[in-house]
PDB file of all heavy atoms in Angstrom:
ATOM      1  N   GLY A 108      -8.406  42.653   6.912  1.00 89.00           N
ATOM      2  CA  GLY A 108      -8.303  41.637   7.953  1.00 89.00           C
ATOM      3  C   GLY A 108      -9.315  40.523   7.761  1.00 89.00           C
ATOM      4  O   GLY A 108      -8.993  39.333   7.927  1.00 89.00           O
ATOM      5  N   GLN A 109     -10.543  40.878   7.390  1.00 86.00           N
ATOM      6  CA  GLN A 109     -11.580  39.866   7.167  1.00 86.00           C
ATOM      7  C   GLN A 109     -11.252  38.975   5.977  1.00 86.00           C
ATOM      8  O   GLN A 109     -11.503  37.767   5.993  1.00 86.00           O
ATOM      9  CB  GLN A 109     -12.934  40.544   6.962  1.00 86.00           C
ATOM     10  CG  GLN A 109     -13.458  41.277   8.193  1.00 86.00           C
ATOM     11  CD  GLN A 109     -13.693  40.353   9.360  1.00 86.00           C
ATOM     12  OE1 GLN A 109     -14.586  39.511   9.333  1.00 86.00           O
ATOM     13  NE2 GLN A 109     -12.878  40.480  10.395  1.00 86.00           N
ATOM     14  N   VAL A 110     -10.677  39.565   4.939  1.00 85.00           N
ATOM     15  CA  VAL A 110     -10.281  38.778   3.766  1.00 85.00           C
ATOM     16  C   VAL A 110      -9.224  37.746   4.161  1.00 85.00           C
ATOM     17  O   VAL A 110      -9.301  36.573   3.773  1.00 85.00           O
ATOM     18  CB  VAL A 110      -9.747  39.706   2.658  1.00 85.00           C
ATOM     19  CG1 VAL A 110      -9.049  38.893   1.563  1.00 85.00           C
ATOM     20  CG2 VAL A 110     -10.890  40.510   2.050  1.00 85.00           C
ATOM     21  N   LEU A 111      -8.243  38.152   4.948  1.00 89.00           N
ATOM     22  CA  LEU A 111      -7.206  37.222   5.404  1.00 89.00           C
ATOM     23  C   LEU A 111      -7.790  36.169   6.339  1.00 89.00           C
ATOM     24  O   LEU A 111      -7.431  34.985   6.274  1.00 89.00           O
ATOM     25  CB  LEU A 111      -6.086  37.995   6.101  1.00 89.00           C
ATOM     26  CG  LEU A 111      -5.268  38.955   5.218  1.00 89.00           C
ATOM     27  CD1 LEU A 111      -4.280  39.749   6.063  1.00 89.00           C
ATOM     28  CD2 LEU A 111      -4.536  38.195   4.124  1.00 89.00           C
ATOM     29  N   GLN A 112      -8.708  36.582   7.211  1.00 88.00           N
ATOM     30  CA  GLN A 112      -9.329  35.625   8.129  1.00 88.00           C
ATOM     31  C   GLN A 112     -10.149  34.577   7.386  1.00 88.00           C
ATOM     32  O   GLN A 112     -10.351  33.464   7.894  1.00 88.00           O
ATOM     33  CB  GLN A 112     -10.248  36.352   9.106  1.00 88.00           C
ATOM     34  CG  GLN A 112      -9.517  37.114  10.202  1.00 88.00           C
ATOM     35  CD  GLN A 112     -10.484  37.878  11.089  1.00 88.00           C
ATOM     36  OE1 GLN A 112     -10.197  38.975  11.537  1.00 88.00           O
ATOM     37  NE2 GLN A 112     -11.644  37.306  11.351  1.00 88.00           N
ATOM     38  N   GLY A 113     -10.644  34.900   6.198  1.00 84.00           N
ATOM     39  CA  GLY A 113     -11.449  33.948   5.442  1.00 84.00           C
ATOM     40  C   GLY A 113     -10.727  32.648   5.162  1.00 84.00           C
ATOM     41  O   GLY A 113     -11.363  31.615   4.920  1.00 84.00           O
ATOM     42  N   ALA A 114      -9.389  32.667   5.239  1.00 84.00           N
ATOM     43  CA  ALA A 114      -8.614  31.445   5.016  1.00 84.00           C
ATOM     44  C   ALA A 114      -8.916  30.379   6.059  1.00 84.00           C
ATOM     45  O   ALA A 114      -8.628  29.197   5.852  1.00 84.00           O
ATOM     46  CB  ALA A 114      -7.118  31.784   5.018  1.00 84.00           C
ATOM     47  N   MET A 115      -9.509  30.771   7.203  1.00 85.00           N
ATOM     48  CA  MET A 115      -9.751  29.819   8.282  1.00 85.00           C
ATOM     49  C   MET A 115     -10.669  28.678   7.872  1.00 85.00           C
ATOM     50  O   MET A 115     -10.575  27.566   8.409  1.00 85.00           O
ATOM     51  CB  MET A 115     -10.340  30.531   9.497  1.00 85.00           C
ATOM     52  CG  MET A 115     -11.775  30.965   9.346  1.00 85.00           C
ATOM     53  SD  MET A 115     -12.465  31.667  10.858  1.00 85.00           S
ATOM     54  CE  MET A 115     -11.475  33.144  11.056  1.00 85.00           C
ATOM     55  N   LEU A 116     -11.583  28.910   6.923  1.00 82.00           N
ATOM     56  CA  LEU A 116     -12.502  27.848   6.523  1.00 82.00           C
ATOM     57  C   LEU A 116     -11.762  26.673   5.892  1.00 82.00           C
ATOM     58  O   LEU A 116     -12.266  25.547   5.875  1.00 82.00           O
ATOM     59  CB  LEU A 116     -13.546  28.402   5.545  1.00 82.00           C
ATOM     60  CG  LEU A 116     -14.489  29.470   6.105  1.00 82.00           C
ATOM     61  CD1 LEU A 116     -15.500  29.896   5.054  1.00 82.00           C
ATOM     62  CD2 LEU A 116     -15.203  28.967   7.350  1.00 82.00           C
ATOM     63  N   GLY A 117     -10.556  26.931   5.371  1.00 82.00           N
ATOM     64  CA  GLY A 117      -9.762  25.852   4.790  1.00 82.00           C
ATOM     65  C   GLY A 117      -9.223  24.883   5.817  1.00 82.00           C
ATOM     66  O   GLY A 117      -8.734  23.800   5.459  1.00 82.00           O
ATOM     67  N   ALA A 118      -9.293  25.229   7.113  1.00 85.00           N
ATOM     68  CA  ALA A 118      -8.785  24.331   8.148  1.00 85.00           C
ATOM     69  C   ALA A 118      -9.606  23.048   8.242  1.00 85.00           C
ATOM     70  O   ALA A 118      -9.081  21.997   8.645  1.00 85.00           O
ATOM     71  CB  ALA A 118      -8.775  25.049   9.504  1.00 85.00           C
ATOM     72  N   MET A 119     -10.892  23.100   7.888  1.00 83.00           N
ATOM     73  CA  MET A 119     -11.748  21.918   8.033  1.00 83.00           C
ATOM     74  C   MET A 119     -11.297  20.772   7.128  1.00 83.00           C
ATOM     75  O   MET A 119     -11.024  19.669   7.624  1.00 83.00           O
ATOM     76  CB  MET A 119     -13.202  22.304   7.750  1.00 83.00           C
ATOM     77  CG  MET A 119     -13.769  23.314   8.726  1.00 83.00           C
ATOM     78  SD  MET A 119     -14.094  22.601  10.343  1.00 83.00           S
ATOM     79  CE  MET A 119     -15.659  21.811   9.996  1.00 83.00           C
ATOM     80  N   PRO A 120     -11.193  20.957   5.786  1.00 85.00           N
ATOM     81  CA  PRO A 120     -10.744  19.824   4.964  1.00 85.00           C
ATOM     82  C   PRO A 120      -9.327  19.367   5.312  1.00 85.00           C
ATOM     83  O   PRO A 120      -9.016  18.182   5.190  1.00 85.00           O
ATOM     84  CB  PRO A 120     -10.825  20.369   3.527  1.00 85.00           C
ATOM     85  CG  PRO A 120     -10.835  21.841   3.657  1.00 85.00           C
ATOM     86  CD  PRO A 120     -11.522  22.130   4.955  1.00 85.00           C
TER      87      PRO A 120
END
Side-chain angles (χ1 to χ4, degrees):
Q109 294 298 292
V110 168
L111 294 175
Q112 285 177 217
M115 73 175 65
L116 296 182
M119 297 287 280

